[in-house]
Amino acid sequence: EAGVTQFPSHSVIEKGQTVTLRCDPISGHDNLYWYRRVMGKEIKFLLHFVKESKQDESGMPNNRFLAERTGGTYSTLKVQPAELEDSGVYFCASSQELAGTYNEQFFGPGTRLTVL
Amino acid sequence: GDSVTQMEGPVTLSEEAFLTINCTYTATGYPSLFWYVQYPGEGLQLLLKATKADDKGSNKGFEATYRKETTSFHLEKGSVQVSDSAVYFCALITGGFKTIFGAGTRLFVKA
C-alpha cells in the first residue's frame, strides 16, 4: 500500500512568488492534515480536512496560505505571495476515520520550501 | 495551551551507548503520547506510542513510559546503533486530531 506522498520534495522560489504544494493521502483516508516545521523549531499544525471540508484551520498563519481538497482526495497548499519567513518543511499526514478510537496519522516525506 | 518540551540537541553518542531523550508535556485532559522519528531524507515515522498513564510504548529497542505524575514520556534505548542517527520528536494529542510536537532532538551515533 502506498504511503502519503508529497510533491515537490524541494522548492526554491523568490519572495513574492507563488508556490503550490501537493499531498496525496493514503487511499481511503478521510482525514488529511498539513503541518510545517520552520527554522528547526517544533512542527506546527496548520489545518485538518475531513474529506473535502476544513474541520480545523486554526493553525493557518495568515491569508497568504490557501488549502484545498477538492473531491476529498489529494490536497494542495498554496502560498501567495511567499515571504522569507515561510521557508521550512511542510508535512502532510492522513488518517482513517475510526469512530471512538485514536486515529494514527501517517506522515509524508515533506516538502522543503526555501524562499529567497 | 498544550505543549511539549524535549531536550535540545544535538546528542552525540558512540555506538552501543545508552540513550535517553527527555520529554515533558503540558496538556488538559488525558493526552495520548508519541515519539516520531525522521531519518535523513525521509518523512516522519511513528516510533512508539502510549495512550494512558503507566503504559509503556516500545519498538526497535526503544521504550518510553507514560508518567502522569511527572508529565513525562522519556525515550530510552539500551544500546544505540549508527542507524539510529535521526531526529526524534515527542508529541501528544488531546481530544481532537491536532498533534502537538516538541522541537525535535537530533541524534548522532558514531561508529
Side-chain angles (χ1 to χ4, degrees):
Chain A
E1 179 183 319
V4 176
T5 57
Q6 294 186 242
F7 182 83
S9 58
H10 194 178
S11 179
V12 181
I13 60 173
E14 295 194 348
K15 176 182 171 181
Q17 290 186 321
T18 297
V19 63
T20 300
L21 314 181
R22 173 172 169 142
C23 169
D24 286 79
I26 293 173
S27 178
H29 282 194
D30 288 336
N31 296 278
L32 186 149
Y33 317 81
W34 284 98
Y35 295 84
R36 74 171 179 177
R37 187 182 190 212
V38 174
M39 292 288 289
K41 296 184 179 178
E42 67 269 23
I43 301 169
K44 288 196 171 180
F45 168 84
L46 295 179
L47 87 159
H48 168 215
F49 284 99
V50 177
K51 297 183 181 177
E52 66 275 10
S53 300
K54 292 176 185 174
Q55 183 77 11
D56 181 354
E57 51 184 329
S58 61
M60 294 288 266
N62 53 61
N63 59 10
R64 296 186 293 104
F65 289 75
L66 175 64
E68 294 180 322
R69 194 183 181 196
T70 307
T73 54
Y74 71 91
S75 174
T76 57
L77 179 65
K78 180 190 288 188
V79 185
Q80 179 182 29
E83 298 289 344
L84 299 178
E85 64 264 26
D86 301 332
S87 296
V89 181
Y90 290 76
F91 291 101
C92 176
S94 71
S95 69
Q96 287 183 312
E97 178 66 28
L98 297 173
T101 63
Y102 159 64
N103 303 287
E104 179 173 338
Q105 296 180 18
F106 296 85
F107 282 80
T111 293
R112 180 174 295 278
L113 174 63
T114 303
V115 183
L116 303 175
Chain B
D2 298 345
S3 66
V4 174
T5 302
Q6 58 183 108
M7 61 188 290
E8 290 187 24
V11 174
T12 302
L13 296 174
S14 297
E15 210 166 22
E16 299 184 3
F18 184 86
L19 168 71
T20 300
I21 300 178
N22 290 337
C23 171
T24 57
Y25 66 90
T26 302
T28 54
Y30 302 96
S32 294
L33 302 176
F34 309 88
W35 278 99
Y36 284 88
V37 58
Q38 185 179 21
Y39 297 104
E42 298 184 16
L44 286 172
Q45 300 175 25
L46 179 64
L47 180 60
L48 53 84
K49 69 180 181 184
T51 58
K52 60 182 188 297
D54 300 325
D55 269 2
K56 177 187 284 188
S58 61
N59 185 24
K60 300 182 181 181
F62 290 89
E63 292 182 339
T65 301
Y66 188 142
R67 301 287 188 199
K68 186 166 180 281
E69 63 276 12
T70 54
T71 62
S72 65
F73 193 54
H74 304 320
L75 182 68
E76 298 182 334
K77 186 175 185 182
S79 176
V80 294
Q81 305 300 312
V82 172
S83 57
D84 293 326
S85 298
V87 182
Y88 293 81
F89 295 90
C90 186
L92 64 83
I93 291 182
T94 57
F97 293 85
K98 185 189 304 184
T99 304
I100 309 295
F101 288 90
T105 302
R106 183 175 293 277
L107 171 66
F108 291 104
V109 180
K110 303 179 296 184

